[in-house]
Amino acid sequence: RGRAWAFPLIAVEWNKVDSVKAVALLEAEGESLEGQHDLYRDLQLRGLALAWAKIEATKAEPTAAQIKYPSLRAWTYRELAMLANNQTLFDHAAEAAREIEDAGQRAYALGEIAQASGESTLFDEALVALDSLTNAKLAYAMSDLAVASGDVSLVENIDSAYPDARASALLRLGEYRAAWEAANAIQDPYEQARAQAAIASARKNA
């Protein structure tokens, strides 16, 4: 079981020289997961779905559909959609994301899908999901959403009590001057120095 995570990767490589053996390996791994219901099973199904996408694409979506955890199912569908440039799979990803109970994780998943698919209305859904969050959870979730959407104005919605969340968003958005100013408000000297080092490095390499 400890090495089973590698089977999908091995199958993809085998497919280059022996497609029959690659298919047999994925089918055997799928059968081995029958009767399991834990996170390990879902992680393996994710790997299998992505491998099927490269070996026998018609089996990728049905494999992803078996994933129980909605966050993993949304992530898998999103990556499958990106591989196939398939809007229907993006829709499946969004449907799975809406099932995520944690509002912060739900907003993050919707934001990632919106960014990958170009479906801007999902950013609006993600923003609504944040309504139930407060304090640090809201600050860091808003930081991630600002970056995913490319909307620097969302940074203004981050409470000034969390300058590190502001600095992180501005850095990832390429707003280096504003990021530096935000980092100046970080009270912890170590965290402030680390943020400023990251900003300086990014600005130098921009």
Side-chain angles (χ1 to χ4, degrees):
R1 177 168 176 166
R3 293 180 294 178
W5 63 269
F7 289 163
L9 302 177
I10 295 170
V12 170
E13 292 302 312
W14 262 113
N15 192 54
K16 298 174 183 178
V17 294
D18 189 338
S19 60
V20 173
K21 188 167 185 175
V23 167
L25 184 59
L26 291 183
E27 289 179 340
E29 178 58 16
E31 291 173 1
S32 74
L33 297 175
E34 293 179 3
Q36 297 185 33
H37 304 283
D38 56 4
L39 179 59
Y40 166 83
R41 167 190 176 274
D42 277 6
L43 288 170
Q44 282 301 101
L45 285 172
R46 168 180 157 72
L48 287 173
L50 294 175
W52 277 125
K54 298 176 181 178
I55 295 173
E56 196 170 320
T58 57
K59 294 186 177 181
E61 191 278 331
T63 302
Q66 298 176 51
I67 297 174
K68 175 183 176 182
Y69 289 85
S71 56
L72 277 175
R73 193 165 69 253
W75 180 21
T76 304
Y77 272 134
R78 175 172 59 84
E79 293 206 353
L80 290 176
M82 293 168 66
L83 286 171
N85 192 26
N86 186 311
Q87 185 58 50
T88 298
L89 292 175
F90 278 125
D91 292 342
H92 288 335
E95 290 167 7
R98 295 183 185 108
E99 296 177 23
I100 300 173
E101 291 186 8
D102 182 273
Q105 292 182 19
R106 184 166 67 252
Y108 180 81
L110 287 168
E112 291 292 297
I113 297 163
Q115 184 180 40
S117 66
E119 184 56 63
S120 60
T121 58
L122 294 177
F123 287 127
D124 297 331
E125 278 193 59
L127 192 58
V128 170
L130 298 185
D131 285 345
S132 63
L133 299 182
T134 58
N135 303 323
K137 282 190 174 182
L138 174 59
Y140 296 115
M142 188 67 73
S143 178
D144 287 337
L145 184 57
V147 175
S149 64
D151 186 353
V152 70
S153 69
L154 291 180
V155 177
E156 296 304 313
N157 294 336
I158 300 174
D159 194 315
S160 59
Y162 304 97
D164 52 337
R166 284 186 169 224
S168 174
L170 291 165
L171 167 60
R172 289 179 287 163
L173 287 165
E175 300 288 339
Y176 303 123
R177 184 184 297 276
W180 188 271
E181 292 175 357
N184 283 336
I186 298 175
Q187 296 298 309
D188 184 288
Y190 173 77
E191 293 299 332
Q192 183 187 71
R194 188 170 71 165
Q196 290 176 335
I199 297 165
S201 176
R203 188 169 187 175
K204 180 180 179 181
N205 295 324

